[in-house]
Amino acid sequence: MGEILDGKALAAEVRAEVGRGVAALVESGGPRPGLTVVRVGNDPASEVYVRGKRTASEGAGIAAVERHLPETTTEGELLAILDELNADPAVHGVLVQLPLPEQIRSTVVLDRVSPAKDVDGFHPDNVGLLVQGRARFKPCTPHGVMRMLDAAKVDLAGKEAVVVGRSEIVGKPVALLLLERHATVTICHSRTRDLASVVRRADVVVAAVGRPEMVRGDWIRDGAVVVDVGINRLPTGKLVGDVEFAAAKERASLITPVPGGVGPMTIAMLLFNTLEAARAAHAGGPSEKTR
């Protein structure tokens, strides 16, 4: 039966680590890290997510500000606000909360955020650095996955890792980070033939496809490590991941729960990246390498 990888406990450790880093930076004469989250419209889930980011930021000593714009905001108006934030020396991290209203193109908006303040790690410049193995900011959720594997002392070198999902936010970047640790990586998606057989050969499974319990428990090989990034709400209101948890837990050596697994780590790594951005600004320019 698998051991639970507790994301809540590890996220608390990371937040405390960031808090100590913030205090040390300020004590040395550096700036208090500043994070601005831009939210457009009234999506209820986005409101909850942004509130959580602000609360966690403030708890770590980061100056967090929400810029809440109306649903009718134009793309040009949003870009102008991003230009202001990019030029503001008190703002070290800029995050645009997705989704955006239909009149605003998310790719145009995310590309407008300064790479030095792109603490989500989504800007093409930062993606390019990630591909080259010298990331400025590792995307928060994949970075959280790697911190969880590190905390559990999972040796990835030579292991076969299967990533189910190919999104720009999780699937592709987590595959790159696993490759960086010398794992042999397979990325699966909706057109993968015989997905079950591919997953069954994996030493490490990262599920990030956004479909409730799509990865069945009997697909997991004995002793595999399972990281479930998905979070899905069933019609009953219950939250489940992309993995059939109860059955997978019987086979896995380590497994993340939903909720309480990867989710808390995403916000923790956002704080980590914001601190890194402030340190880089204090040192005189954007850093090419973070932890």
Side-chain angles (χ1 to χ4, degrees), residues 50-100:
V50 170
R51 188 186 309 125
K53 290 168 183 175
R54 284 189 61 190
T55 300
S57 298
E58 292 164 355
I62 292 171
V65 174
E66 178 187 1
R67 293 284 294 270
H68 182 204
L69 308 175
E71 187 82 23
T72 55
T73 299
T74 67
E75 183 174 283
E77 288 169 339
L78 178 53
L79 293 176
I81 288 171
L82 293 178
D83 289 342
E84 292 174 12
L85 296 174
N86 287 338
D88 188 343
V91 177
H92 304 100
V94 176
L95 184 155
V96 180
Q97 184 67 44
L98 301 178
L100 293 168

Side-chain angles (χ1 to χ4, degrees), residues 20-225:
R20 293 191 294 271
V22 169
L25 179 61
V26 173
E27 187 175 342
S28 69
R32 182 169 301 282
L35 172 67
T36 296
V37 181
V38 181
R39 178 167 65 94
V40 184
N42 299 300
D43 180 75
S46 292
E47 183 178 357
V48 172
Y49 295 150
V50 170
R51 188 186 309 125
K53 290 168 183 175
R54 284 189 61 190
T55 300
S57 298
E58 292 164 355
I62 292 171
V65 174
E66 178 187 1
R67 293 284 294 270
H68 182 204
L69 308 175
E71 187 82 23
T72 55
T73 299
T74 67
E75 183 174 283
E77 288 169 339
L78 178 53
L79 293 176
I81 288 171
L82 293 178
D83 289 342
E84 292 174 12
L85 296 174
N86 287 338
D88 188 343
V91 177
H92 304 100
V94 176
L95 184 155
V96 180
Q97 184 67 44
L98 301 178
L100 293 168
E102 61 181 12
Q103 73 272 16
I104 301 176
R105 295 168 292 174
S106 60
T107 51
V108 172
V109 168
L110 296 178
D111 287 359
R112 193 64 158 255
V113 176
S114 166
K117 298 187 179 187
D118 167 40
V119 288
D120 259 337
F122 294 162
H123 191 282
D125 287 6
N126 289 330
V127 174
L129 288 171
L130 178 67
V131 171
Q132 292 183 338
R134 53 194 186 107
R136 178 185 287 125
F137 302 118
K138 296 172 184 174
C140 301
T141 299
H143 197 178
V145 169
M146 301 307 292
R147 283 293 294 261
M148 294 183 82
L149 294 174
D150 286 346
K153 296 181 169 55
V154 177
D155 181 7
L156 293 166
K159 299 295 174 57
E160 185 154 6
V162 169
V163 179
V164 185
R166 54 177 169 176
S167 73
E168 307 292 338
I169 296 173
V170 180
K172 291 179 182 177
V174 82
L176 290 168
L177 293 175
L178 290 164
L179 278 171
E180 197 175 274
R181 298 296 188 85
H182 311 297
T184 299
V185 182
T186 301
I187 302 178
C188 299
H189 47 78
S190 60
R191 294 192 176 122
T192 299
R193 287 183 292 183
D194 197 3
L195 178 61
S197 68
V198 179
V199 173
R200 284 191 180 106
R201 69 178 190 239
D203 301 301
V204 178
V205 178
V206 180
V209 71
R211 298 184 184 178
E213 299 183 331
M214 176 181 170
V215 177
R216 311 307 296 173
D218 62 5
W219 296 2
I220 305 301
R221 68 182 290 183
D222 288 341
V225 175

Side-chain angles (χ1 to χ4, degrees), residues 12-34 57 59-63 92 268 271-280 282 291:
E13 292 179 17
V14 174
R15 292 196 304 270
E17 170 191 319
V18 171
R20 293 191 294 271
V22 169
L25 179 61
V26 173
E27 187 175 342
S28 69
R32 182 169 301 282
S57 298
I62 292 171
H92 304 100
L271 308 187
F272 180 95
N273 283 351
T274 302
L275 172 59
E276 288 295 296
R279 284 171 170 164
H282 182 52
R291 176 173 174 175

